[in-house]
Amino acid sequence: MAQISSKEIEHRISSNTGSALQGLIPNLNVTFSDGGINKKASFDIRGVGSINGGEPLILIDGVEGDLNYINPKDIASISVLKDASSAAIYGARAAFGVVLVTTKNPQAGAVQVNYSNHFGWSNPTINTNNFITDGLEWARLSDRLSLMENTSTYLGYTEEDYAYMEARKKDPSLPAVLIKTIDGVERYVHYGNTDWWNYIFRSNQPSMEHNINLSGGTDKMRFYLSGRYYQREGIYRINPDKLKSYTLRSKVDFQILDNLRVSNTTNLYISDYNYPATNTRSLDGNDNSENWRKYTYHAAPVFLPRNPDGTIMINSPYTPGRDIADGTFADLTYGKSHGIDSEYDVMNTVSILFTPIKGLDLNADYSFRKESPFSRQLIVSTPHTNQPNGEGITKYKPNTELYKERHWHSMYQAINAFATYSHSFNDAHNLKAMVGFNQEWKHWERTTAKRSGPISEDLGSFNLTTGENFELLGAKEEWAIRAAFYRLNYDYKGKYLVEFNGRFDLSSKFPHNNRLGIFPSGSLAWRVSEENFFAPLRPVIDNFKLRASYGTLGNQNVGPYDYIAKMKSKLGSYIVNGAYQNYLSTPDAISSNFTWEKSATIDFGVDVSLFDGRLTASYDWYQRDTYDMLTQGKELPAVFGADEPQENAADLRTRGFELSVNWRDRFMLANRPFEYRIGVNLADSRTVITKFDNPSGLIDEFYVGKELGEIWGYTIEGFFQTDDEYLTHADQLKVNKSIRDKYLINHPVAGDLKFADLNNDGEISPGKKTLDDHGDLRRIGNSNPRYTLGLNLGFNYAGIDFSAFFQGIMKQGWWPEKENSYFWGPYVRPYENFIPKSIVSMGWTPDNPDAYFPRLAVDASNQGDAYEGSQLRVQSDKYLQNARYLRLKNITLGYTLPTQLIRKIKFLKSVRVYVSGENILTFSPLYKHNPDRTVDPEQLGDGNAYPFSKTFAFGVDIKF
């Protein structure tokens, strides 16, 4: 178990608790899908637990909840249960660990009031000022690439146009737009230098937060009440996206009798996220996502957002089929398409503690959590033209116009009842026992509706739609858990410690004959430092403790009705009696042994404290085996008539370690105490498949011995230095698809990659892509993060407090995906708009034979797949990136005003002012091959997503 207190997160300026936890606890891995201002953190503990995914169970004051909905200022402590022994009593959903959040309790006495705020400004962590924005430079580069595979250019600009751009470069006062007659029609021709990134997005995104809490009461009644308001504007410059959230929390304790206490806790979270939308937004079914990839091409810097008469241009005058940014930038400029995501989450717990006799506590609680999210989108077509005087105005893709709503409702309820008895005897033996009952239910439903033909550009409502295309979808599900659990603790003089845990779970997600899961665990500890023989070392070593544990857990992370054969209703394509007919599909095949996934964890640890507690260290080594993972069953004959059923037929093993070292001390400086601290945590995990049915040994599937995240690729020997060198080298046809299929010179030439023929068969190929025959492929790296690091530094002196926190990953391989133009630039397409400035100079030329990139060539990373395709599309060791990084996650400098000054104002207790920064500095070898820093090592993938942000803020903490 690992624990942090409120002091370690209370001064963070994060938007939610999840982001504030990143890097603080070894092997609690916190990630975000992208940098959207409404995005929530995802968690995993000790790496991959199952090929089917799974997150830790998060309990807030004992009730399942969402860390992202809790005010960070309300948290007293956070504990992470990592091994099966400590997590066992939490049962069916604790297979991947448990995060226990304890919030602040009411304090008896006079009412205490605390207020804090911060005001911040954020901008992207990537450098967005290093893209080519010179229209002439971009056009010449695009032409150079286009003419490698075509006899015409992408833009279609003439030499007369280029001469005018050259003139404009010398005399910027010349008009950026001219009217020319093209194909018999007068059209606008643009000659701009548009910085599209800074036109669509803004670099400064304001945010603010206000917090207030009150606490007080008597011995009979105590209360704690807090509220938080958070607001942040996002990256969009036109029609900016904006998040507003409100959190309210209350805790009330009633001491009814000396041995009877009743408590009630309520947490309310409300948020609204407003955002712009475009015609390419994916709104099929239950999807709602913006296609950021569309932002990255066809928007040449030569084009301006608007024509001189204020109209919007989407079609180029010479090549009208190539729409600027696929119309997305025009939609954002027009500003009519938009959406809103709203969330409403309320949690309430009523608990009773009764102590009938000394040592016996009887606890009972009832909790519910109600969620009611809502989402709606209005997509409006943008009017556009490339002709003057308002001629030729048409609506862009009117078939994409629609209005959509989604409504969710979920109700979670839980009852817990447990008794705890503790007793000590003979001043040596300490016994504690607990037995309890748990019941949980959850009901969830969703309704989705959309219709085409909105008649209003401003008001979204189904009453204001007239289209014939509509869709109505619904879903509903329920599940329940019933369980009994126990825990038994014994220690002898605090020297020898033994603990046994267990849980009996019944889950509705499995067939009746397989619903019961029994999950026992146990742990041992020996405080060696309490032994007599250790006495000579005690002046130096205060505590030395050895630990071991073993336990099993069950995973019910499956759908609530996966064990039931279902026939789906579908709409046919034939019309009968004037209507399409519904029909039922073949039912799913279900395994007769559909049951729990199980995990077993063994853990060995040591805790050490030295020099009167100034130096502390903790180390754990663990092995977690996950059995009976659900996966596709054995291949069946086609005559079976359905897909193979899911079976509990796969196993994996995760091994890793965790190390935490902390030093705290103080000394006198100028007659004042100087307190300082240094803390380091390091963790690692590796996961290997130990059972999987893959008789052919296909390397792209799971196989026994496969380490999750492994990357296969080719070996690069260098570049061809002459145009005919390829004739004496192994055949590279399978890794030169673009050259073969698209280039006018359809064979490798000087500057193209030379692949190593590892198996000496005269051909560069992946063979059969199996373990026995993988051709010239080899394992070149691994994409899973290794050696996660956290480093804390801080001091307090004379009212000044300083803290710095670094977070990083010390080992990670990354293959830049094919659409990542922020890394590959013009190697992806000849019409990428966000091209890093340095990349052209990094390409091979006769004068630069030792360059990093090959000769500048179009489509090099876009065709084929990982093993057969274009020379930069197939994976190779040369372009596998070292993505380790170290990031200054937070730095804060605060000053608490002197007490003698504060006392002059009677109702003030303390005032602290501070400045803070998040994600301020990043160090990574990735920047060696990305000198423009247009890629964030913490946000890899294809790069086409809302970027992460760094934030600067100032604020004040006031106690009354």
Side-chain angles (χ1 to χ4, degrees):
M1 183 182 79
Q3 187 177 64
I4 62 171
S5 68
S6 61
K7 292 182 179 180
E8 295 175 78
I9 61 173
E10 63 183 357
H11 296 321
R12 296 289 297 271
I13 55 174
S14 305
S15 59
N16 56 55
T17 302
S19 59
L21 290 176
Q22 194 173 35
L24 287 178
I25 299 174
N27 256 334
L28 174 63
N29 303 305
V30 183
T31 57
F32 291 84
S33 59
D34 62 51
I37 59 176
N38 67 324
K39 292 299 180 181
K40 301 177 180 64
S42 297
F43 306 91
D44 79 65
I45 295 175
R46 290 184 164 178
V48 178
S50 169
I51 59 175
N52 298 309
E55 290 193 340
L57 174 64
I58 295 174
L59 297 176
I60 301 166
D61 290 337
V63 182
E64 182 204 8
D66 190 329
L67 263 176
N68 299 290
Y69 294 163
I70 297 297
N71 183 352
K73 302 287 187 181
D74 288 337
I75 294 174
S77 66
I78 296 178
S79 302
V80 179
L81 310 183
K82 304 175 184 179
D83 64 300
S85 178
S86 60
I89 65 167
Y90 298 103
R93 288 179 297 140
F96 308 110
V98 182
V99 178
L100 300 177
V101 180
T102 302
T103 60
K104 295 175 180 177
N105 287 314
Q107 300 296 321
V111 175
Q112 304 290 317
V113 180
N114 300 319
Y115 167 77
S116 64
N117 64 35
H118 83 249
F119 300 88
W121 293 266
S122 303
N123 50 69
T125 52
I126 61 174
N127 190 333
T128 61
N129 294 317
N130 278 346
F131 298 126
I132 295 175
T133 59
D134 183 283
L136 177 60
E137 179 184 356
W138 190 97
R140 290 293 192 195
L141 175 60
S142 177
D143 285 359
R144 174 182 168 187
L145 293 167
S146 298
L147 292 173
M148 295 185 68
E149 57 176 348
N150 298 293
T151 56
S152 61
T153 63
Y154 166 74
L155 284 174
Y157 276 36
T158 66
E159 286 304 318
E160 180 184 356
D161 293 317
Y162 280 110
Y164 185 75
M165 283 194 280
E166 294 280 5
R168 269 204 84 234
K169 195 164 189 175
K170 297 175 182 178
D171 183 4
S173 65
L174 291 175
V177 180
L178 297 180
I179 297 175
K180 288 190 170 186
T181 301
I182 301 172
D183 297 328
V185 178
E186 286 190 336
R187 300 186 187 277
Y188 288 118
V189 180
H190 291 203
Y191 304 98
N193 299 294
T194 301
D195 182 344
W196 281 108
W197 183 280
N198 287 311
Y199 170 75
I200 294 296
F201 306 122
R202 56 181 176 173
S203 56
N204 288 312
Q205 306 151 33
S207 63
M208 68 175 176
E209 177 186 23
H210 297 274
N211 273 287
I212 188 169
N213 66 68
L214 303 86
S215 182
T218 66
D219 292 338
K220 296 298 183 182
M221 192 281 287
R222 299 179 295 275
F223 72 91
Y224 176 88
L225 178 65
S226 73
R228 179 189 191 234
Y229 171 71
Y230 178 79
Q231 175 183 303
R232 179 173 170 184
E233 295 185 19
I235 196 171
Y236 291 97
R237 181 181 297 276
I238 309 166
N239 189 18
D241 52 326
K242 182 180 290 187
L243 173 68
K244 292 182 179 180
S245 69
Y246 311 82
T247 309
L248 180 66
R249 188 172 187 84
S250 71
K251 265 190 176 184
V252 184
D253 291 343
F254 298 94
Q255 195 70 43
I256 308 298
L257 302 172
D258 289 343
N259 61 351
L260 177 63
R261 188 175 72 201
V262 178
S263 301
N264 188 86
T265 302
T266 303
N267 192 89
L268 175 65
Y269 176 85
I270 300 173
S271 71
D272 291 309
Y273 175 52
N274 290 273
Y275 49 88
T278 71
N279 72 90
T280 64
R281 193 172 192 87
S282 178
L283 293 170
D284 292 335
N286 293 299
D287 196 8
N288 175 30
S289 58
E290 192 67 35
N291 189 347
W292 273 66
R293 178 63 184 137
K294 300 294 186 179
Y295 295 169
T296 63
Y297 51 70
H298 291 312
V302 297
F303 300 130
L304 278 68
R306 291 184 182 270
N307 297 310
D309 60 4
T311 56
I312 296 173
M313 188 173 84
I314 294 179
N315 300 130
S316 168
Y318 294 113
T319 52
R322 293 164 181 172
D323 306 337
I324 298 173
D326 276 10
T328 57
F329 288 177
D331 291 342
L332 295 172
T333 300
Y334 193 52
K336 296 295 185 179
S337 295
H338 64 273
I340 181 171
D341 296 340
S342 299
E343 295 187 87
Y344 176 89
D345 183 285
V346 60
M347 295 172 54
N348 194 85
T349 300
V350 179
S351 59
I352 300 174
L353 171 61
F354 179 51
T355 307
I357 60 174
K358 182 180 179 182
L360 177 62
D361 290 336
L362 303 179
N363 294 267
D365 61 68
Y366 166 75
S367 302
F368 74 83
R369 179 185 178 194
K370 184 177 181 180
E371 298 175 90
S372 302
F374 168 73
S375 172
R376 67 170 179 262
Q377 295 80 36
L378 176 66
I379 305 300
V380 175
S381 293
T382 298
H384 69 104
T385 184
N386 58 17
Q387 300 177 40
N389 304 316
E391 295 292 329
I393 291 180
T394 58
K395 283 197 166 187
Y396 184 73
K397 293 186 177 179
N399 61 311
T400 63
E401 290 190 316
L402 62 83
Y403 177 70
K404 179 178 180 178
E405 288 187 4
R406 289 186 298 167
H407 299 259
W408 295 261
H409 168 76
S410 71
M411 183 68 170
Y412 166 82
Q413 300 178 81
I415 294 176
N416 293 289
F418 56 97
T420 305
Y421 179 73
S422 57
H423 182 68
S424 300
F425 48 95
N426 296 335
D427 295 326
H429 304 278
N430 302 295
L431 183 67
K432 188 174 183 179
M434 180 179 66
V435 62
F437 168 82
N438 167 251
Q439 174 78 49
E440 300 176 42
W441 308 263
K442 187 168 185 178
H443 171 90
W444 173 90
E445 60 185 73
R446 178 186 62 216
T447 303
T448 302
K450 70 177 181 182
R451 188 178 184 183
S452 62
I455 60 175
S456 171
E457 291 188 338
D458 303 303
L459 303 176
S461 171
F462 287 114
N463 289 334
L464 297 174
T465 57
T466 59
E468 296 182 358
N469 296 323
F470 61 88
E471 182 179 61
L472 183 62
L473 301 173
K476 183 183 295 186
E477 61 186 39
E478 293 180 329
W479 58 261
I481 296 173
R482 181 172 295 163
F485 54 88
Y486 66 88
R487 174 178 286 168
L488 179 64
N489 300 83
Y490 168 77
D491 76 78
Y492 175 72
K493 292 185 176 180
K495 185 187 303 185
Y496 311 111
L497 302 94
V498 182
E499 180 176 289
F500 296 100
N501 300 276
R503 179 151 171 143
F504 304 85
D505 266 308
L506 290 166
S507 172
S508 69
K509 293 186 175 183
F510 301 103
H512 287 279
N513 59 332
N514 281 328
R515 286 187 170 175
L516 177 62
I518 301 174
F519 310 111
S521 68
S523 62
L524 302 170
W526 176 26
R527 292 189 65 195
V528 183
S529 55
E530 297 302 304
E531 299 289 356
N532 292 333
F533 65 77
F534 204 85
L537 298 176
R538 284 198 195 111
V540 177
I541 304 176
D542 318 316
N543 179 56
F544 183 74
K545 181 180 180 180
L546 298 176
R547 296 176 280 105
S549 68
Y550 177 82
T552 61
L553 287 168
N555 174 24
Q556 64 142 23
N557 186 32
V558 297
Y561 311 118
D562 286 356
Y563 69 95
I564 300 173
K566 298 177 288 292
M567 292 188 292
K568 298 175 182 177
S569 175
K570 297 183 178 181
L571 188 66
S573 57
Y574 295 99
I575 298 176
V576 179
N577 296 327
Y580 290 104
Q581 298 298 296
N582 288 312
Y583 70 94
L584 296 176
S585 65
T586 305
D588 301 326
I590 304 296
S591 169
S592 59
N593 295 317
F594 189 93
T595 188
W596 300 79
E597 291 185 2
K598 305 173 186 69
S599 65
T601 304
I602 186 170
D603 189 295
F604 298 100
V606 57
D607 300 320
V608 182
S609 173
L610 299 90
F611 311 120
D612 294 325
R614 287 176 292 173
L615 177 64
T616 59
S618 180
Y619 176 82
D620 280 83
W621 177 92
Y622 64 91
Q623 175 178 292
R624 179 176 62 205
D625 288 288
T626 305
Y627 304 105
D628 298 331
M629 294 183 295
L630 283 167
T631 187
Q632 198 75 20
K634 288 181 178 293
E635 185 175 350
L636 297 174
V639 294
F640 181 70
D643 293 336
E644 294 83 3
Q646 293 275 300
E647 296 182 7
N648 299 90
D651 301 342
L652 62 75
R653 170 172 290 172
T654 300
R655 284 178 174 168
F657 71 85
E658 296 147 6
L659 173 66
S660 179
V661 180
N662 292 279
W663 172 268
R664 291 176 177 269
D665 200 6
R666 60 182 293 173
F667 58 87
M668 298 303 294
L669 179 64
N671 296 318
R672 294 183 176 183
F674 183 95
E675 300 176 351
Y676 68 98
R677 60 193 179 277
I678 303 172
V680 179
N681 67 69
L682 181 68
D684 185 36
S685 67
R686 301 178 73 178
T687 301
V688 176
I689 299 295
T690 55
K691 177 184 175 182
F692 196 86
D693 184 43
N694 180 1
S696 300
L698 295 171
I699 61 175
D700 279 343
E701 296 183 6
F702 294 118
Y703 58 82
V704 175
K706 179 171 185 171
E707 182 176 351
L708 267 62
E710 67 182 21
I711 301 172
W712 289 74
Y714 294 99
T715 302
I716 301 299
E717 293 181 343
F719 300 112
F720 291 114
Q721 299 297 336
T722 65
D723 288 348
D724 56 3
E725 187 179 350
Y726 80 98
L727 294 171
T728 58
H729 187 67
D731 182 3
Q732 295 194 172
L733 190 65
K734 291 184 178 178
V735 293
N736 286 145
K737 270 196 170 184
S738 287
I739 296 174
R740 179 192 67 192
D741 298 340
K742 293 188 174 185
Y743 296 177
L744 298 178
I745 301 175
N746 63 353
H747 60 75
V749 297
D752 285 326
L753 293 176
K754 184 193 294 186
F755 290 77
D757 184 12
L758 298 183
N759 62 357
N760 298 312
D761 66 350
E763 179 188 35
I764 307 302
S765 83
K768 296 179 180 178
K769 304 177 187 177
T770 66
L771 293 172
D772 292 333
D773 182 7
H774 47 80
D776 300 300
L777 297 173
R778 63 183 179 89
R779 296 180 185 88
I780 58 174
N782 195 289
S783 62
N784 280 350
R786 300 280 310 279
Y787 308 114
T788 56
L789 175 71
L791 172 63
N792 268 299
L793 308 170
F795 70 82
N796 296 79
Y797 177 70
I800 300 171
D801 61 270
F802 170 81
S803 65
F805 172 60
F806 292 85
Q807 177 267 334
I809 292 171
M810 296 297 99
K811 184 178 182 181
Q812 184 175 23
W814 175 54
W815 177 260
E817 295 187 21
K818 65 176 183 177
E819 299 286 0
N820 197 320
S821 61
Y822 300 97
F823 180 83
W824 296 114
Y827 289 94
V828 179
R829 291 183 178 89
Y831 43 83
E832 296 293 327
N833 24 303
F834 302 132
I835 298 177
K837 291 180 179 178
S838 299
I839 199 164
V840 175
S841 64
M842 297 172 67
W844 183 96
T845 65
D847 297 329
N848 188 19
D850 298 320
Y852 182 66
F853 290 105
R855 63 173 174 132
L856 199 60
V858 68
D859 274 343
S861 64
N862 190 42
Q863 190 178 8
D865 57 34
Y867 306 135
E868 293 185 58
S870 305
Q871 61 180 350
L872 290 182
R873 175 66 181 96
V874 296
Q875 295 171 174
S876 65
D877 58 353
K878 182 175 178 64
Y879 299 105
L880 181 70
Q881 300 302 303
N882 182 351
R884 72 172 183 264
Y885 70 88
L886 181 66
R887 170 162 279 172
L888 179 55
K889 208 69 183 174
N890 176 267
I891 184 169
T892 300
L893 179 64
Y895 179 66
T896 301
L897 300 182
T899 304
Q900 57 269 30
L901 178 62
I902 296 301
R903 285 176 180 171
K904 295 180 180 180
I905 304 175
K906 292 183 178 180
F907 55 83
L908 281 183
K909 187 176 181 180
S910 69
V911 176
R912 174 181 174 268
V913 293
Y914 67 93
V915 292
S916 185
E918 294 272 328
N919 297 332
I920 303 304
L921 296 173
T922 304
F923 307 93
S924 175
L926 176 65
Y927 297 134
K928 176 181 179 182
H929 304 307
N930 180 235
D932 295 300
R933 301 175 77 96
T934 52
V935 176
D936 185 341
E938 194 179 347
Q939 188 180 18
L940 300 173
D942 64 7
N944 300 304
Y946 205 117
F948 285 178
S949 296
K950 52 187 174 183
T951 302
F952 300 88
F954 67 90
V956 60
D957 297 325
I958 304 174
K959 294 182 179 181
F960 298 93

